[in-house]
Amino acid sequence: ETIDLVSGDALVLATDGLTEVRNPAGEQLLEPGAMELIARSGPEAQRLADDVVANVRLWAGRSVRDDLAVLVVRVIGTQPYA
């Protein structure tokens, strides 16, 4: 499958520590929760990644026990990418 990215799009890659993190009640964040955190995060790539990690820690209510890595690629410019 191919996805065309245009200026302003962000590609967010994360380890399973993002979706599998648990809050104090034992609930997992899961994909819908992770997508919500991503949507509420800053526009720049570094800010988006930092916001996601910070908000995961807040949601968890404690330190995150699993690995948590987030990579964000923001498309800049007007030329189409293939």
Side-chain angles (χ1 to χ4, degrees), residues 19-80:
T19 56
E20 294 177 358
V21 66
R22 293 183 183 272
N23 66 12
E27 303 165 317
Q28 285 187 312
L29 185 60
L30 302 176
E31 189 174 328
M35 295 298 287
E36 183 180 325
L37 289 182
I38 291 166
R40 291 191 334 228
S41 296
E44 298 87 18
Q46 185 63 57
R47 177 69 185 266
L48 196 157
D50 291 344
D51 286 353
V52 167
V53 171
N55 286 319
V56 164
R57 288 182 174 145
L58 285 174
W59 188 85
R62 55 177 163 51
S63 63
V64 178
R65 295 178 187 213
D66 195 0
D67 66 303
L68 176 58
V70 179
L71 171 68
V72 179
V73 177
R74 175 71 71 185
V75 178
I76 300 172
T78 58
Q79 298 298 318

Side-chain angles (χ1 to χ4, degrees), residues 4-26:
D4 293 325
L5 301 174
V6 297
S7 182
D9 284 349
L11 175 64
V12 180
L13 306 172
T15 59
D16 63 355
L18 176 61
T19 56
E20 294 177 358
V21 66
R22 293 183 183 272
N23 66 12

